[in-house]
Amino acid sequence: MPDSPTSPPLFLRAVRSLAAVKPRSELVVRDLDAPPRLAPHTWATSVEADIGHRGDGTDDLDEPDTSGRLILLYDPDGQDAWHGEFRLVCFVQARLEPEQLGDEMLPQVGWSWLTEALESSGAGFTALTGTVTQTASVRFGDGGGGPREDDVELRASWSPTESDADLSRHAVAFAALVASAAGLPPLGVPSLHRTTG
């Protein structure tokens, strides 16, 4: 648990700075159990988006169009590969629109969602690495035999360079990444998507 008395103050400061960020209303944020073996101290959250999401906090996104997980790793002794004590790991999965299928530029576009989000938020980072993968799936069994669904998956990790452990800009960047992957318009720009109800 992040608030354990044994958690180092620097880790707690980083967690609180990440958790304090409130993303745009179309995104649903939930706490997650962090994988315990990746580092001595870990924390995780999820951010989900759905084109049909009302944004009022009352709907449940059982199968969101876009979902993401952000994990904070902290090792007080540091790790050479991290270039520091902290490492952020993210995974984002987004459903593709039919017109995006077969787009050879999709991996570059997907990666640019992350790099542009980090840069526009002013987050300091180093040792950025990751992959962008296009996948296809069809459900089988009870209720299966459904249509093929194509997704894009982005996995990435980077080391924050903020010396004061205020990682709020990284939380802002992650929320912006999920919003871009979901196809949400920039804040202040009305959506052209029509919802029926």
Side-chain angles (χ1 to χ4, degrees):
M1 294 291 295
D3 292 322
S4 165
T6 60
S7 296
L10 198 63
F11 173 69
L12 291 175
R13 176 174 172 78
V15 167
R16 290 175 183 144
S17 69
L18 289 167
V21 172
K22 303 299 180 201
R24 56 194 291 174
S25 62
E26 299 95 331
L27 302 178
V28 176
V29 180
R30 294 186 177 98
D31 291 333
L32 292 177
D33 291 331
R37 296 189 179 108
L38 299 178
H41 305 277
T42 60
W43 173 87
T45 190
S46 72
V47 176
E48 298 176 338
D50 194 294
I51 294 298
H53 177 48
R54 294 189 300 268
D56 59 7
T58 61
D59 47 347
D60 182 22
L61 302 183
D62 289 332
E63 294 186 21
D65 287 333
T66 305
S67 62
R69 295 188 304 269
L70 181 67
I71 303 169
L72 173 67
L73 309 177
Y74 177 65
D75 186 340
D77 296 328
Q79 296 192 17
D80 291 340
W82 296 0
H83 302 280
E85 300 171 350
F86 287 103
R87 188 78 175 163
L88 286 161
V89 179
C90 80
F91 171 77
V92 175
Q93 183 177 37
R95 194 162 298 144
L96 295 175
E97 297 296 328
E99 61 270 16
Q100 295 174 302
L101 301 181
D103 186 348
E104 294 182 1
M105 292 300 294
L106 186 62
Q108 288 82 359
V109 171
W111 190 249
S112 73
W113 294 334
L114 172 61
T115 57
E116 290 174 7
L118 287 168
E119 291 166 5
S120 65
S121 69
F125 64 93
T126 188
L128 174 64
T129 184
T131 61
V132 179
T133 307
Q134 186 173 340
T135 65
S137 61
V138 178
R139 292 178 187 255
F140 294 94
D142 290 344
R148 170 177 156 157
E149 292 182 352
D150 288 83
D151 298 322
V152 61
E153 297 177 350
L154 183 148
R155 298 173 188 268
S157 64
W158 65 93
S159 299
T161 58
E162 288 80 1
S163 59
D164 61 357
D166 180 354
L167 305 185
S168 56
R169 292 179 179 179
H170 296 268
V172 170
F174 180 66
L177 165 62
V178 174
S180 293
L184 294 174
L187 285 171
V189 176
S191 174
L192 298 178
H193 178 77
R194 293 184 181 181
T195 57
T196 57

